[in-house]
């Protein structure tokens, strides 16, 4: 029964995340609820289902695959501020390539964080899933974070292929001139250079979010993240 709950929670969470990946469904919901209403509704639903999924993984039968070491907790605590920082700059920024970005306001000559990677939030999920997979060596959590890791990597290519089909390879190439899918590839090749200063507001949000998550983790999840 415990495994059944875990499977149902995972199916519900993954099914819900097909919404932002489908432009028609997302567009209909945005038109009905407004952009702010859609963001609040989808964000609340996603967080609620994620909380259920994590709880279901904790209630699943414990089958150890590898032991947890103290260095693993340190790695996770170093990676998580980076995850939150990337997410803070990625969500709702002008980015026609990613589901978390705004489709308007994107300047191909000044792509901002999109110059680092066209899929910043999915790369943040890759880091999050990898760090938590490392520190959680039981079967249920290995499945949970392994699936997140796999779907984040697959989702990057899938979204870009869908966008190319929708707008054409020529327009995609024009928009992507100063960007790359692999983080910092455009910078290393000389196709992108940072312009201007990063948003201090988003930096402040990232710091606040990291502090809140760190201190509320034990209360909400039931485990302290401290090494």
């Amino acid at each position: 029964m415990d495994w059944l709950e875990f499977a149902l929670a995972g199916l519900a969470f993954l099914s819900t995340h097909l919404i932002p990946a489908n432009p028609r469904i997302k567009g209909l919901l945005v038109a009905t609820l407004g952009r702010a209403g859609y963001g609040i509704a989808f964000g609340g639903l996603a967080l609620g289902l994620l909380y259920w999924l994590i709880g279901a993984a904790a209630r699943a039968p414990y089958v150890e695959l590898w032991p947890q070491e103290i260095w693993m907790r340190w790695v996770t605590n170093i990676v998580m501020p980076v995850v939150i920082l990337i997410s803070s700059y990625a969500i709702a920024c002008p980015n026609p390539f990613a589901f978390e970005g705004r489709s308007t306001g994107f300047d191909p000559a000044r792509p901002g964080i999109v110059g680092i990677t066209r899929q910043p939030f999915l790369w943040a999920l890759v880091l999050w899933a990898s760090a938590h997979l490392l520190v959680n060596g039981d079967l249920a959590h290995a499945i949970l974070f392994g699936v997140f890791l796999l779907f984040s990597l697959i989702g990057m290519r899938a979204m870009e292929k869908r966008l190319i089909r929708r707008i054409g390879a020529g327009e995609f190439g024009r928009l992507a001139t100063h960007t790359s899918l692999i983080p910092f590839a455009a910078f290393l090749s000389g196709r992108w250079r940072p312009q201007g200063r990063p948003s201090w507001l988003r930096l402040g949000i990232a710091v606040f979010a990291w502090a809140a998550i760190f201190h509320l983790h034990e209360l909400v999840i039931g485990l302290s993240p401290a090494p």
Side-chain angles (χ1 to χ4, degrees):
M1 185 64 183
D2 292 331
W3 283 113
L4 178 60
E5 182 196 4
F6 179 54
L8 290 174
L11 181 62
F13 184 83
L14 291 175
S15 298
T16 301
H17 280 72
L18 296 175
I19 295 174
N22 188 306
R24 290 184 179 180
I25 297 177
K26 180 180 178 180
L28 178 62
L29 291 174
V30 169
T32 303
L33 303 174
R35 184 165 295 276
Y38 165 80
I40 293 172
F42 180 79
L45 178 61
L47 286 175
L49 289 174
L50 179 61
Y51 183 75
W52 178 31
L53 180 57
I54 292 173
R59 290 186 290 271
Y62 183 83
V63 180
E64 184 175 286
L65 300 178
W66 61 84
Q68 185 183 105
E69 305 288 347
I70 189 66
W71 66 266
M72 298 176 180
R73 297 178 70 91
W74 276 109
V75 169
T76 305
N77 276 274
I78 292 171
V79 169
M80 280 308 298
V82 179
V83 170
I84 296 168
L85 183 66
I86 295 172
S87 301
S88 176
Y89 279 94
I91 294 174
C93 77
N95 183 356
F97 305 99
F99 74 87
E100 77 277 3
R102 299 201 316 268
S103 58
T104 59
F106 179 71
D107 181 358
R110 299 172 64 90
I113 192 174
V114 186
I116 298 176
T117 173
R118 293 191 292 270
Q119 300 292 339
F121 187 69
L122 285 179
W123 278 112
L125 283 179
V126 166
L127 291 174
W128 173 79
S130 299
H132 283 77
L133 177 62
L134 174 68
V135 82
N136 290 280
D138 64 282
L139 179 59
H141 286 93
I143 294 172
L144 170 63
F145 295 115
V147 168
F148 267 108
L149 176 59
L150 181 63
F151 271 79
S152 297
L153 291 171
I154 293 175
M156 296 180 194
R157 287 296 184 185
M159 291 195 66
E160 300 222 328
K161 289 180 180 179
R162 186 181 297 114
L163 182 60
I164 291 173
R165 288 196 302 267
R166 185 162 61 88
I167 67 175
E171 178 65 6
F172 182 91
R174 184 188 73 82
L175 294 174
T177 300
H178 301 289
T179 73
S180 61
L181 180 60
I182 305 301
F184 293 103
F187 176 81
L188 294 175
S189 67
R191 292 185 292 111
W192 173 75
R193 289 292 182 267
Q195 299 179 26
R197 297 179 179 179
S199 167
W200 290 105
L201 174 61
R202 287 183 179 257
L203 178 60
I205 292 173
V207 172
F208 176 81
W210 169 80
I213 291 171
F214 185 87
H215 288 92
L216 293 175
H217 195 281
E218 184 174 12
L219 177 64
V220 177
I221 305 300
L223 293 171
S224 172

